[in-house]
Amino acid sequence: MADPDDIRAWQRLDAGTTTSGRIEDRDVARLADLGVRHVINLALETHPEALAGEGEKLNAQGIAYTHIPVPFDAPGDEHFAAFVAALEHGPNPVHVHCIMNWRVSAFFYRYNRDRRGLPEPEARAIMERQWSPDGHDGKEAQVWADFIARNA
């Protein structure tokens, strides 16, 4: 099955890792058909675009589910540590998503730079395919710039 490029901000990082923005009901079976065995969700379940009952729906398809709710205005090192643990100890292939793929891209920036040892420009280029806090005016942009600047 081909990658579902119509899922918001879909991105394949490697053979066993995909990311996106929000997923919808129709995407649950599609992820299963792709062979995804684990979904990590960084979005808040209270977001109006969050998929209600996501964990139960994924589990019904045989997909493990880890929810790490990361407030967009307050990403923390504890969220990043939980992300690393879920990514490194959960089943693969894995799909990681939030609402816009902004949280996810920032988390993978730090992961690629600090855990995988990618050169900073390469890790940044992967993040910037989806988003970067640089050049944004909102207060959250500075919070995210500070978050990605920290080392794990």
Side-chain angles (χ1 to χ4, degrees), residues 16 54 58 66 82 106 115 117 127-128 134 147 151:
E54 181 174 336
L58 289 162
T66 302
R115 304 286 295 190
M127 176 183 69
E128 289 178 348
D134 298 342
F147 174 80
N151 288 325

Side-chain angles (χ1 to χ4, degrees), residues 8-9 11 13 17-22 40-43 68 70 72 75 80 83 87 94-112 123 126-128 130-131 144 147-148:
R8 179 186 287 167
Q11 183 172 2
L13 298 180
T17 310
T18 54
T19 70
S20 75
R22 66 160 167 83
I40 301 170
N41 176 9
L42 302 183
I68 306 167
V70 179
F72 196 71
F80 184 71
F83 165 77
L87 191 62
V94 63
H95 180 76
V96 187
H97 81 92
C98 55
I99 299 299
M100 298 297 294
N101 204 352
W102 293 0
R103 291 173 181 90
V104 174
S105 63
F107 273 59
F108 268 107
Y109 168 77
R110 280 183 62 177
Y111 184 80
N112 287 332
I126 294 168
M127 176 183 69
E128 289 178 348
Q130 297 301 328
W131 179 73
W144 283 96
F147 174 80
I148 66 172

Side-chain angles (χ1 to χ4, degrees), residues 37-61:
R37 295 186 53 223
H38 185 199
V39 168
I40 301 170
N41 176 9
L42 302 183
L44 301 180
E45 63 187 8
T46 56
H47 191 282
E49 293 187 62
L51 177 60
E54 181 174 336
E56 296 82 15
K57 292 172 182 178
L58 289 162
N59 288 158
Q61 290 287 327

